[in-house]
Amino acid sequence: LSQDSLDELEMNDYWKEVENIASSEVGAARGDSEADGEAQNEEQQKVPEEGEQAEAWLKEAGLEGLYDSSVEGNSDQEDDNMGFLSTLTRTQAAAVERRVKSAYQTQRRRNRQNVPDVRDIFRPPETGEEPSKSKEGSENGKKDVTSAETETELNVEVAFSEQALSYRDNRQGTKVTSPKSPDDKLPNFKLLRDKTGQTRIGDLSLLDMKKVQRLVLVESTALFDTAGIDLKPHKAVKMKTRESGLFGVPLSSLLEQDQKRIPGTKVPFILQKLISHIEEQGLDTEGLLRIPGAATRIKALCQELESTFYDGMFPWEHLKQHDAASLLKLFIRELPHPLLTVEYLNAFTAIDKLPTKKQQLHALNLLVLLLPEASRDTLKALVEFFQRVIDHQAENKMTLNNVSVIMAPNIFMFKGFRSKITEQQEYSMAAGTANIVRLLIRYQNLLWTIPKFIMNQVRQQNMENQRKANKERAVRKLLKMMTTEKPPERTIPEESSQGFIRVHAPQFPKVSMAVELTEDLQASDVLTRFLSQDRCTPTHTRLSHAFTSSVADFFTFCPLRSLEVKREDLSLYETGGNIKERCLDGETYMKDLIQLNPTAEWVIKV
C-alpha cells in the first residue's frame, strides 16, 4: 500500500482512536462534570451572523473605519489604512470590498448614519486607465501566474489567491480531479529559490510581524473566496477556565506560569517533558502513539502529575511509554480552546475542499501564520516530534499516514465536539482532518515561512510610511527655517556604491567591518569573515543555555565583549530602509538584497 495516500484500513485506526477518546472520561480526572464541559463548549461555539462576521473580520484586519464612521481614529491610522489598501492585489482587495459591503448593509439595517459608501473606498479605474500591476510585475488580470513553475515548485512571489484565480479561470468548463483520489501522492514540494533570502517566523520585528498577520488574514480569506468556499468562523467567547495546573489550562496561562521559572519559554514544560520522556525510552516501540494506556491508569497519572510535576517529585522512571503518549494526547484534547483556535478551526477543516494539493499547502501556510504565537510554537513542537516518530517507522510501524490518522481526532475533536455534529458530518471530516495533519507534518519546513509576496507588501507599506514621515519632516523644516537640519531621507551608503558594505557588531570589540560586495557573497560568508578576525576567534564551547535563551539578562552580568562565540551563535540582520528588522538566512545573497533595500544597515547579533 502507498504510504502517500490514506486507505480504508488506515482510517480504521482513526475510528479506534475516536472510540478511545470517547471512553476515556478524562473530565473526571480533573473533577469536572460532563455537563460543565459541555456548557463551556456551548459558550465558545457561537457562530455570528454574516454581517457580524464581516464586522469582526474587518476589525481583526484593522479596517473597521472603512464601514463605521463612528470609530474614533487618528490621521495616522487612516493613512496607515490607505497605505495598507494600496498594496493589496486584485483578489485581496475584492475580499476586503466584499466584507465592507456586508458590514455596510448591516449598519444600514441598524439605521446608523454617516456610513461611507463602499464605492468611495474601492473605485473602479477611470476610463482608459491601465489596470494596476502587482509588485512582481504581473498584471492583476487573467494572466496565468502559475506557468513559470513546475508542479512541485511553490511560487511565493505571486499572491496565492492570484494563482488560485488563474487556476480557476484556466480550468473553467473542464473537470477537476479531486486531490483525495486513491492514487494521490504527496508531491515533493520545494520553494523557488529566492536570492534575497527566505524569511521564517521569528525572523521579523514585532511591528513587521503585525503587518504580516494583517496581510495574511486578507490573503487567506481571498484564497478561500476564490475557491468559492464560504467560511463560517466561530466566535471566541471568554469563559471561565482553570488558571493553574497542567491539564485543561489555556496555553497562555501555562506559558505564563512556566516563563516565571524560565523566561522565554515557548512550549509548555509538561509537553516538553512528555515528548523528551517518550524519546528517551526510544522511538522504536511498535504502535507508538497508536496503542493507548489503560484509562484508569491514565486518570491516576494525570492527577499525580497535577500535584507533583512542578515539585519535581513525579516518578518518571516508572512511566510507561504508551502511557506517556496517552498523556500527551490527553494534554492536547483537554486544552479549553482548540490548539488550532476557535477562530480558525473551521478554516483548517475547509482546507481539504481546495482543488489542488498546492492550494491546500498555500492555505495551510497562511493559517499557520495566523495562529497566536503560543498555538503556533506548540504545534511546531508537536509536528517536529511526530516526524521523529515517523523517522523510525521501520521499527515502530508508524508511517506518516498512521501518525496522521491517530493524531487528527486529538487535534480537531476538542471537548464536546462530537455532540455538535451529525454522524455523517463526522464521517466526512475524518479523512479530511487526517489529510491536514499529514500536510502539517510532511511540509513543516515550508509552512513556518513567510511568503515573499507578503514580505514585498510589508516593504511597500513601510516605504509608504517613510514617505509620509519624510514629507512631514520637510514641512517642519521649512516652517522652522532650520537649514542645518540633516536630510530626512537616509542616503545609500557610499561604501555600497564603491563595492563594499559596512557591517556593524556593537556587541563585540570589533564594532564594524567593511566587506567586499561580490555577486556570490552570502550572509553566511559575512559571518565567517567576521569570526576570522583576530579579536573574535571562535571557541569549541557553545554558549550556555542561559545566554541563548535570555540574552538581555545575561548581557547585564557578562558583557559579550569578553566572550568568544561560534558561527552558529551569530546572525546577520537587515535593519532599516524598507524593513524594521529581519534576521537573514545564511543563503541570502547580499548584493541582491541590497538592490531590494539599498538604505538598510547590516548588524551582527547573538
Side-chain angles (χ1 to χ4, degrees):
L1 294 175
S2 169
Q3 294 303 325
D4 292 314
S5 58
L6 298 172
D7 55 45
E8 185 176 352
L9 182 61
E10 287 167 328
M11 289 309 298
N12 285 338
D13 286 339
Y14 178 99
W15 298 114
K16 289 179 182 177
E17 184 69 13
V18 171
E19 291 176 5
N20 291 334
I21 294 172
S23 62
S24 62
E25 297 180 351
V26 293
R30 301 195 318 269
D32 295 338
S33 69
E34 190 68 17
D36 289 340
E38 292 297 320
Q40 285 187 346
N41 282 282
E42 287 290 347
E43 186 179 18
Q44 73 179 56
Q45 282 293 295
K46 291 182 179 178
V47 180
E49 296 179 356
E50 183 177 354
E52 293 176 338
Q53 290 178 21
E55 291 177 351
W57 186 92
L58 288 165
K59 185 175 182 180
E60 185 178 357
L63 298 172
E64 62 266 41
L66 296 183
Y67 71 91
D68 190 354
S69 59
S70 67
V71 176
E72 293 186 3
N74 52 48
S75 58
D76 289 340
Q77 180 64 40
E78 292 176 359
D79 290 339
D80 183 63
N81 283 343
M82 291 303 104
F84 175 81
L85 293 172
S86 70
T87 68
L88 300 184
T89 66
R90 176 183 53 168
T91 48
Q92 291 171 353
V96 175
E97 182 176 4
R98 188 174 295 112
R99 278 137 192 96
V100 170
K101 286 181 177 179
S102 178
Y104 171 73
Q105 291 169 356
T106 301
Q107 292 278 29
R108 292 192 65 179
R109 286 196 297 269
R110 294 172 183 164
N111 296 320
R112 291 190 179 181
Q113 303 299 318
N114 301 320
V115 179
D117 193 323
V118 69
R119 291 170 295 184
D120 293 334
I121 303 169
F122 299 96
R123 289 191 178 279
E126 299 292 338
T127 304
E129 183 180 343
E130 293 185 5
S132 61
K133 304 277 186 177
S134 70
K135 303 307 176 187
E136 295 81 17
S138 62
E139 291 185 3
N140 287 336
K142 294 187 177 181
K143 182 177 179 180
D144 184 2
V145 295
T146 62
S147 59
E149 77 273 8
T150 67
E151 287 300 314
T152 57
E153 290 179 325
L154 295 176
N155 185 345
V156 294
E157 297 191 5
V158 178
F160 297 156
S161 56
E162 292 290 332
Q163 296 183 47
L165 181 63
S166 177
Y167 175 89
R168 187 192 71 186
D169 290 348
N170 289 339
R171 284 156 181 79
Q172 283 184 349
T174 62
K175 184 177 180 180
V176 179
T177 303
S178 169
K180 295 179 288 185
S181 59
D183 294 331
D184 175 59
K185 295 185 177 181
L186 294 181
N188 185 26
F189 284 123
K190 60 181 179 180
L191 294 176
L192 287 173
R193 186 177 184 183
D194 178 11
K195 299 188 77 173
T196 61
Q198 186 181 79
T199 305
R200 302 190 67 83
I201 294 174
D203 287 347
L204 294 180
S205 67
L206 291 178
L207 286 175
D208 281 339
M209 194 61 195
K210 287 181 179 178
K211 293 184 177 72
V212 166
Q213 291 192 298
R214 195 179 179 192
L215 286 162
V216 166
L217 174 63
V218 175
E219 171 62 14
S220 61
T221 305
L223 178 57
F224 282 110
D225 283 355
T226 302
I229 299 173
D230 184 21
L231 297 178
K232 299 292 185 184
H234 289 142
K235 182 180 180 181
V237 178
K238 289 185 179 180
M239 61 182 189
K240 187 176 181 180
T241 58
R242 301 179 70 207
E243 293 301 321
S244 62
L246 300 175
F247 296 86
V249 179
L251 277 177
S252 57
S253 299
L254 274 172
L255 288 172
E256 184 178 349
Q257 65 186 22
D258 289 350
Q259 287 167 358
K260 291 177 181 177
R261 292 171 170 84
I262 298 183
T265 299
K266 292 182 175 295
V267 178
F269 288 163
I270 180 61
L271 184 61
Q272 292 186 48
K273 182 58 180 176
L274 288 170
I275 289 175
S276 64
H277 180 77
I278 293 170
E279 293 185 332
E280 286 168 4
Q281 293 192 326
L283 297 178
D284 296 342
T285 306
E286 186 170 345
L288 185 60
L289 294 177
R290 184 179 67 240
I291 298 175
T296 53
R297 189 166 63 246
I298 298 304
K299 174 182 174 180
L301 288 168
C302 177
Q303 293 173 332
E304 188 173 4
L305 276 168
E306 289 280 10
S307 60
T308 63
F309 176 73
Y310 284 113
D311 295 334
M313 302 300 292
F314 184 80
W316 291 98
E317 65 277 10
H318 300 310
L319 180 62
K320 298 179 180 179
Q321 195 174 34
H322 289 308
D323 289 347
S326 294
L327 286 167
L328 181 145
K329 293 187 289 185
L330 170 64
F331 171 82
I332 300 170
R333 294 196 308 272
E334 286 289 275
L335 290 171
H337 302 289
L339 179 61
L340 302 181
T341 74
V342 173
E343 296 89 339
Y344 300 120
L345 191 66
N346 277 5
F348 275 97
T349 304
I351 285 174
D352 204 52
K353 299 177 183 177
L354 292 167
T356 68
K357 277 290 185 287
K358 186 174 289 187
Q359 287 187 33
Q360 291 179 4
L361 194 58
H362 287 166
L364 201 53
N365 182 193
L366 297 171
L367 290 176
V368 165
L369 289 169
L370 279 177
L371 287 175
E373 186 176 0
S375 295
R376 193 169 58 221
D377 291 339
T378 300
L379 179 62
K380 187 67 165 70
L382 285 170
V383 296
E384 287 175 345
F385 167 63
F386 298 154
Q387 184 58 57
R388 293 194 292 272
V389 172
I390 294 165
D391 290 341
H392 292 256
Q393 61 182 281
E395 296 79 25
N396 60 32
K397 312 302 181 187
M398 295 300 291
T399 65
L400 172 62
N401 289 352
N402 296 142
V403 172
S404 299
V405 297
I406 293 298
M407 294 310 304
N410 288 282
I411 292 174
F412 282 89
M413 289 188 178
F414 53 89
K415 194 171 180 64
F417 171 83
R418 299 188 74 200
S419 66
K420 296 168 177 57
I421 62 171
T422 65
E423 185 176 338
Q424 181 59 37
Q425 287 175 319
E426 184 177 10
Y427 182 81
S428 64
M429 283 180 56
T433 55
N435 177 56
I436 294 163
V437 174
R438 69 185 186 131
L439 293 179
L440 281 167
I441 300 171
R442 175 68 174 81
Y443 300 116
Q444 57 184 279
N445 290 333
L446 304 178
L447 296 175
W448 269 258
T449 62
I450 302 172
K452 185 177 181 180
F453 73 89
I454 293 289
M455 288 300 305
N456 286 343
Q457 289 179 290
V458 170
R459 291 181 187 275
Q460 292 160 30
Q461 287 184 49
N462 287 336
M463 289 173 65
E464 288 294 327
N465 293 339
Q466 285 179 11
R467 277 194 282 268
K468 178 179 179 296
N470 290 341
K471 287 181 181 179
E472 291 176 349
R473 282 197 294 267
V475 170
R476 288 197 299 268
K477 179 179 178 180
L478 289 173
L479 291 175
K480 295 180 180 180
M481 303 296 291
M482 296 177 63
T483 57
T484 59
E485 188 175 331
K486 294 182 180 180
E489 293 188 6
R490 181 186 295 172
T491 58
I492 299 175
E494 183 179 353
E495 287 173 321
S496 296
S497 61
Q498 296 176 351
F500 289 85
I501 58 172
R502 173 65 58 178
V503 180
H504 302 277
Q507 296 174 330
F508 291 84
K510 186 177 180 62
V511 296
S512 70
M513 174 183 69
V515 179
E516 184 179 3
L517 191 61
T518 64
E519 293 288 341
D520 297 329
L521 181 69
Q522 295 183 338
S524 59
D525 299 327
V526 174
L527 295 174
T528 299
R529 293 182 191 184
F530 181 78
L531 285 174
S532 68
Q533 303 299 312
D534 292 339
R535 285 178 287 179
C536 194
T537 304
T539 180
H540 294 291
T541 304
R542 290 184 59 86
L543 294 178
S544 69
H545 175 73
F547 183 83
T548 56
S549 63
S550 184
V551 174
D553 292 341
F554 192 85
F555 191 84
T556 303
F557 302 100
C558 187
L560 194 58
R561 298 178 185 277
S562 64
L563 293 179
E564 295 179 336
V565 295
K566 291 181 66 177
R567 160 67 185 82
E568 54 265 36
D569 296 320
L570 299 179
S571 296
L572 180 62
Y573 287 80
E574 168 194 7
T575 64
N578 54 36
I579 206 77
K580 296 296 182 183
E581 183 177 84
R582 172 176 171 245
C583 181
L584 303 183
D585 81 64
E587 296 182 357
T588 301
Y589 283 83
M590 298 304 298
K591 191 167 186 177
D592 293 87
L593 183 55
I594 287 172
Q595 291 175 353
L596 180 64
N597 191 3
T599 61
E601 293 185 349
W602 315 101
V603 181
I604 293 176
K605 299 181 184 180
V606 173

